[in-house]
Amino acid sequence: MATLNRPGDGDGHVCGIDTAMEVIGGKWKVLILWALHERSHRRFGELRRLVPGITEKVLASHLRELEADGIVDRVSYDEVPPRVEYALTKDGIRLNDALEPLAAWARTRTGTPPRPFLSDQAG
């Protein structure tokens, strides 16, 4: 049985879940991670299309936060016009792998069959 860290035992976190939720919390971050998981590099506009309902402002903010947390790399190419792509880091890949059992649990609970990310079906 795992022992929980107690508040005040160092970083102030109670368990690993609260630490993970600081990184992936919110409505959109896991969907951004999943879109990046499906293909190694994606551009901002592509991510915006893949996560229906997200605003440009929120996407930009979440990408900055995920980059600051070491989950996403922002790759800027020295081209005209400028090109920027986003990709998962090794930690981001491990985080997505850790989220897969949660997705499987949800599919079982709802009876939803597994399917590719909604983006890649749209062409």
Side-chain angles (χ1 to χ4, degrees):
M1 183 170 179
T3 304
L4 298 178
N5 291 333
R6 300 291 174 218
D9 284 354
D11 64 6
H13 292 107
V14 177
C15 67
I17 295 296
D18 58 348
T19 304
M21 290 307 296
E22 284 182 10
V23 175
I24 63 168
K27 180 177 179 179
W28 304 107
K29 286 185 180 176
V30 293
L31 296 176
I32 294 166
L33 292 172
W34 196 252
L36 288 168
H37 179 72
E38 290 292 308
R39 197 168 78 216
S40 61
H41 288 81
R42 297 215 190 246
R43 296 178 76 169
F44 184 89
E46 187 178 11
L47 286 169
R48 178 117 194 300
R49 284 189 302 277
L50 296 177
V51 184
I54 194 169
T55 65
E56 287 185 22
K57 181 179 177 179
V58 170
L59 178 58
S61 172
H62 283 345
L63 285 169
R64 279 191 300 272
E65 290 171 12
L66 290 165
E67 184 181 7
D69 286 331
I71 303 301
V72 169
D73 271 335
R74 181 181 187 272
V75 181
S76 186
Y77 296 91
D78 188 22
E79 299 176 351
V80 177
R83 179 170 54 115
V84 175
E85 294 180 344
Y86 298 88
L88 293 176
T89 63
K90 288 181 183 179
D91 272 350
I93 293 167
R94 289 193 348 244
L95 176 57
N96 244 345
D97 291 345
L99 290 171
E100 180 52 40
L102 182 62
W105 171 83
R107 287 190 300 266
T108 299
R109 182 174 168 90
T110 62
T112 306
R115 64 185 177 97
F117 193 76
L118 46 109
S119 63
D120 297 326
Q121 299 172 8

